[in-house]
Each structure stands twice: as structure tokens, then as C-alpha cells.
Amino acid sequence: MESVSRFRFRNHSEEIGDDDSAERHTSADSSSITSEEDPDLEFQSMTAKGVQHLCSELLELKRESDEDFQKIISSNYTAFLAIVKEIDCLKNEALRLKNLASSQRRIVEDIRDGISSCFLSEQNLNSVPEEPSHDQPSSPTVLEKHTESVSEILDNLLREQRLDDAITLLDMEAEFVQTLQSGGSLSSDQLMSYNSTMLEKKSILSDRLVSMAKHPRISAPELQKVLIGLCQLGDNRLATQLMLRYYRIRTASLISDLSSSKELPHAHYIREVARFVCSTISQAATSFVALNGETRSYTSELTQWAFEEIDMVADCFGKHVNAVPEISGRLSAAVDATKIVTSYCSLLEAQRIFLQPHLIEQIYPCIEEVLQLHIDHLSRVVSIFTSSESWILGRYYVSGILTGQSCVIVDQQPEFFFLTNSGRKFATLFQSVVEELSPLIGFQMESLVLKGIVDLFVSYVDIHESALTGKTDAADRGSPRIGLSEFPIQGVSVLANMSTLAQFFSGIVRNVFNGVDHLDSEINNHIILTQNIYSRLKASFLDQFIANIFSSDPANESASETDMIPSVPYLKLQKLTEDDSIDSSWLMSLLVEAMSEAFRWISTKSAVWRISEENLANHSAELMQFTLDVQFLLEVSRRDGYLSDGVVNIAGDIMARIETAFLSAGQNPLRDLEESEWPADAASLALDKLQELREKELLEDENAREDENVYGVDIPLNDRDEPAIGEASATAIDGN
């Protein structure tokens, strides 16, 4: 039609005019000849030319119209053939329905005639007396004829693959049999024969549907149609089994394709598996409802099948996590994968399918194994960065240590945390692990998370114990070497670091597991265990502290009372009290406890109590030295501010016991010294001189640092030898 629309008639008058003008201008001589010709001939010539042009235009228009018509026919021929075929199909379907209606009408007529004949037969039997029976072949009953007719129709329908019509006919027959049974006009043999024939046809039809359902290329809509047919036949369980078989094959095929695919990124593998499997379960549940109705609950067979599908997801979960080459990356991969698979499982809850608990149960062993490997790896990392620990405390702002959820671990946070270098690193590491594991708490894995962080904390606590006691377990022989602490300064640092981390651990655990009520008892047990470990470490420190104080033999046993000097240490205690990198209140509490333990030890375990009265005269100098040391410790405690009433009472009891021992032996060496207030004056004088010596050392240290800054000379301060306790005391007193 496009060529027709482009076509335009010519203006013939203009063309004729043009031709005439051309002819007029051809030659000047021709004008005279033309003027002499006949006017009729000229008019006829012009008319012929116009007709000729018009005919040519019409021929051209006809030719283009024929071409357009052929194109239209070619383009619509395919649709025309399809319509013709569809009309043929409709005719066949109408004919089939007509035949079916005729068959049904014939069946109904047979049933009607049979019922009428039965009624008439009963009347004749009631009115006519019985006659002797003769052995004549009985004619087929109405039900037998009906059975034969229905059987023939079913055979034809099965032969023609018209399974839907066969199912419809069987449904009608079921209603027919119920009608006959309600009438009570049929014998049991007749019904048995009829039912046997119908069951046989039903079995054939069911086998045909099962064969179609098991075809490997059947689509989901075709399968649903077949399964509905089976349900109409009463085989709902078989239909459900075939449906689950179909979706199981689909799931296995897709997982196999994903596992062998090299184009799919590793991070997307578990997401695709979980998405497809949960989508398959959802489709199966929808199909089950379509087959059995919305009011029916899911069968145990469907539930077990769904569990097995989730088991396939759990298996892929383990492969996905273990495929991560780095141990440190497996835990994060496991946590992320857990979030993914549980999120897809939660979508099924809208269809009353609750699979998340079963999924968690299946992936729990994998996560437990990965978490244990991760904690073991981090324990080795902690051992590595602790191997170079000098156990020197530092003061760190709490805001710089706590991150994320840990910022609210305690109600009243201190301004500073007093930690060693390894303690600061461990606090950062511990928080990162807790934040990484905290999502698992929402997946009923809180016990696993608690065990993991407790194991990590205990691994660092064991290093404290090894550093404090100098003992290393056989299991730790292959671990990095742990530097042993030097008492009492480094021992106090170990305890201070442990005290801070114990508070830190308690606050984080309570904050992370807030609301997990069923773990309260277990959490309290772990916190109590941590406190017990700290108490055990503190008791070990106090034992070694006391052993260091009283390890040396009393000095100056032959000296007179006025020449005696204290034999117990003081300088290192003074260093602790002057250090601003430690919590002073905690330190004072520790020193009060240390002095209390020291005086308890003196009052019960000192060697002076083993001196008998007979040998008291030979050990009077030892007892005098003991008295001076007790007085010296009292004076140190009083000046440094950690003297308690309990220590004063114990010291008074000790002095009373010493005096009683002398009196019982007939001696009283302290009587002549009471006027000079010995040993209090001697202890005070020794303490003054020791403090002067300490100030002198501090001044020398400061000068050495200035020399280092000026001349660039590195003079290690720790390399300068300190005088021994007895030597320091003697130097101070001799300097007087």
C-alpha cells in the first residue's frame, strides 16, 4: 500500500500544454503550416494523447495494486493456516464431546431401563408363583452391560491419551455406584465384578500418569496437572511422593552445576544454593497445598523431605567454609554464610515451614570446629606478641581502648585503663573477636560464642600465671618463650594488668549476653572463675613477695643494738608508690594486703619462734634484728600510707611475744633501750637515709638523661646496679 500512497496522478492539461508550447517553439516555419491545417484533426490528436496518458497511469496503478495484494496475502497466509488448523481442532473436540455426550446418554438410558426392568421383575415375581427352574443360560444384567460399555469407553480414552476424560468418567462412575448402592437393588457379586473392572482401569490410568510424572523432561505445569489427576484418583500420597521426587532431582542438579561452575564467585556460592533450595521448598509447599487443600497440615513425609533439603544446604555450607584457605578468614566466612542461609530459611516461616532450628543443628559442628581453630590461632598470636612483653604498665584512655558495643561495658567507667603493652593489644583483639562472634548469638549459638571468648581469655590468663610463677606447662613448650617477671615491680604489673582485664572481661560478657537469661548461671560461673584465677595469682604474688622479703639471713648478727640496720627491702616498694602508671587506690589496697600477709607470716612462720628458751641467750642479737625489721616495716607502711589497723595489732602482738620470751628467759634487752626509743628511732633514721639515697639516684638519672640528650650518649638507666638492701641501708647510716 505504500507504493499506492506514493502514487500521484499527473496533470494532463499541463503536459498537453507543454507539448503544445514545445511544438510552437520548434520552428517559426511550422506555425504557418499548422495554422493552415484542419481544427478537427488537431482536436482529435490532442484527445488521443490524453487517453494514451490516462491508460498508462491506470496500468501502472493496477500493477502496483497487484504487488501490494500479493504481499498482504503472503504475510497473512501463516496466520490463516493456523486459524484453519485451530478450526479443525475445535471441530474434532466438538465431535468428541458429542460422542461422549451420546455415550453418557446411552449409559443413562441403560441405567433407566435396567431400573425399570428390575422393578417390573420384582412385581412379576410377587404376582406369579414360582416355577421350577431350568438350566438355561442367564442373560447379562443391566450392570454387566453397563460395566462392559464403560470399560470399552475407558479403553478408547486411554488409547487416545485422553486421560482427563478418563478421570472424569471414573468420577461419574463413582457417583453412579453410590446411587446404585443406596437403592439396594444390586447383589454383592455384581458390585464386586463392577468394582474389580473399575479398579483395573483405574490402576492402568494411574500407571500411565506415574509414567508421565517420571519423565525427565516434564515441566512443572505439566507435572502439576498429572499430580492433580492422581489426586482425583485418590492417590494423594503417590502424588506427593512424585512431586517431592521431581524437586529433589532439580535441587541435586542445580547444586551439582553450581559446584562445578568456575564462573560463579566463591562468595556467591552459598547464597545461590540457599536461595534455590529454599525457593524449591516453597514451591513444593505451594504444590502440596494445591494438591491437598489449604486446611490440611503438612505431612511428616513433606517435613522430612524439607529437612533433607536443608541437610544439602548444610553440606554445601561446610564445603564453602572449609574452602577458605586462611584460617583467620574461615570464621568470618562462616558467620556471613550463617546470616545468609538463616535469612532464606526465615522466609519460609510465612508458609508455616520452620527449618531454621534444624539448619542450626546441622551447621553447628562446622561452626564449632572453625571457631576452635580460630581461637587456637589467636592464642598463638597472643603468645607471639606477649613473648616480648616487658611487663611495664602504661596508662591508656578508656575511650581509646573500648570500641563498638564495648563502650558501655560498665556503668561508671574509669578515665584510664592501666595495662601492659600486651594487655592493650589483647583488649583490642578480644573486642574484635567478640564483635565478630556476636551475630551468632541470635542463631541459638550463644553457648558456643561464650565458650570461644572464654577460651581466648583463659589462654592469655595462663600466660600471666606462667610469667608470675615462672612455670610453663608441657603443652606450651612449643609456644613462643614467655619472659618471666622480676619481683616485685613486674609482679605488681602482672597483677594490675590481670585485674584490669578481669573487669574488662566481666563487663563485655555481661553486655554481649544481655537478655540471654538461660546463660546467666554459666556467665556468673565464668566470671567467678576469672576472679578466682586473679585471687590465685595474687596469692602466688604475695607468697613470693614475702619470700623475697625474708629470704636473706639477718645481717649484722654480731653488731650492737645501736649499730643494727634493717635487713628487709624498701627501695622497690618506694618505686611502686612513685609510679603514676598504676592505679594508686588499687596499689594501696594491694600493699595493705601484702603488709598484712607479711606480718601474718612473721607472727606464725618466722624462724625466731623456733628458738627455745634454753638457747634464747645465744640468739638475742637475732631477736633484736628481728625486732628492728618489724619496726622498719611498720615505719615504711606508715610513711607510704598503707598501714592498717590490723598490721598495727599484729605488730603489737609480735613485740609483746618477743618481750615475753625475753622475760621468761630472765632477760630484758629492750628495757635499757626504751629510754632511747630504740628500735623506732633506728628504723626512722634508716628510712630517712634510704629516701635521701633514692633522691640522689633520681638526680643522677636525670643528669644522665640530660647528658644523653646533649651528647647523644645512650646510658641505659636499668643497667646501673642498685645496691643490695643491706648495703643500701649500711651506706645510708654510715653516711650519717
Side-chain angles (χ1 to χ4, degrees), residues 321-332:
V321 172
N322 292 324
V324 178
E326 300 85 4
I327 296 178
S328 58
R330 291 182 186 175
L331 181 61
S332 59

Side-chain angles (χ1 to χ4, degrees), residues 224 243 247 279-294 298 302 351 353:
Q224 189 70 13
M243 180 263 294
Y247 285 114
S279 175
T280 300
I281 296 174
S282 176
Q283 295 174 22
T286 303
S287 180
F288 179 86
V289 171
L291 296 177
N292 300 277
E294 295 182 358
Y298 298 127
L302 176 62
Q351 296 177 268
I353 303 175

Side-chain angles (χ1 to χ4, degrees), residues 217-235:
R217 295 185 179 180
I218 189 172
S219 62
E222 293 174 346
L223 175 69
Q224 189 70 13
K225 184 177 179 181
V226 171
L227 297 179
I228 291 175
L230 285 173
C231 291
Q232 291 176 343
L233 295 177
D235 291 335

Side-chain angles (χ1 to χ4, degrees), residues 109-123:
E109 291 175 354
D110 292 341
I111 295 171
R112 184 189 59 194
D113 295 341
I115 294 174
S116 299
S117 61
C118 289
F119 180 74
L120 293 174
S121 298
E122 290 179 357
Q123 287 183 343

Side-chain angles (χ1 to χ4, degrees), residues 450 454 457-458 505-506 509-510 517-534:
L450 179 61
V454 168
F457 185 78
V458 169
F505 171 80
S506 174
V509 169
R510 292 191 183 280
D517 297 334
H518 67 277
L519 282 182
D520 287 344
S521 177
E522 187 175 355
I523 291 174
N524 291 332
N525 291 337
H526 285 299
I527 292 176
I528 292 174
L529 175 63
T530 303
Q531 295 172 350
N532 291 338
I533 293 174
Y534 171 72

Side-chain angles (χ1 to χ4, degrees), residues 705-726:
R705 284 193 294 271
E706 292 178 356
D707 293 340
E708 178 183 354
N709 295 332
V710 174
Y711 299 104
V713 179
D714 186 11
I715 304 176
L717 300 180
N718 294 334
D719 291 346
R720 185 178 294 106
D721 295 333
E722 293 183 356
I725 300 302

Side-chain angles (χ1 to χ4, degrees), residues 94 121 130 157 166 179 220 234 270 316 372 400 451 455 512 558 612 668 705 715:
S121 298
E130 295 183 359
L157 294 176
T179 303
I270 192 64
C316 295
Q372 189 60 50
K451 180 180 181 300
D455 289 345
V512 170
S558 59
S612 60
N668 193 2
R705 284 193 294 271
I715 304 176

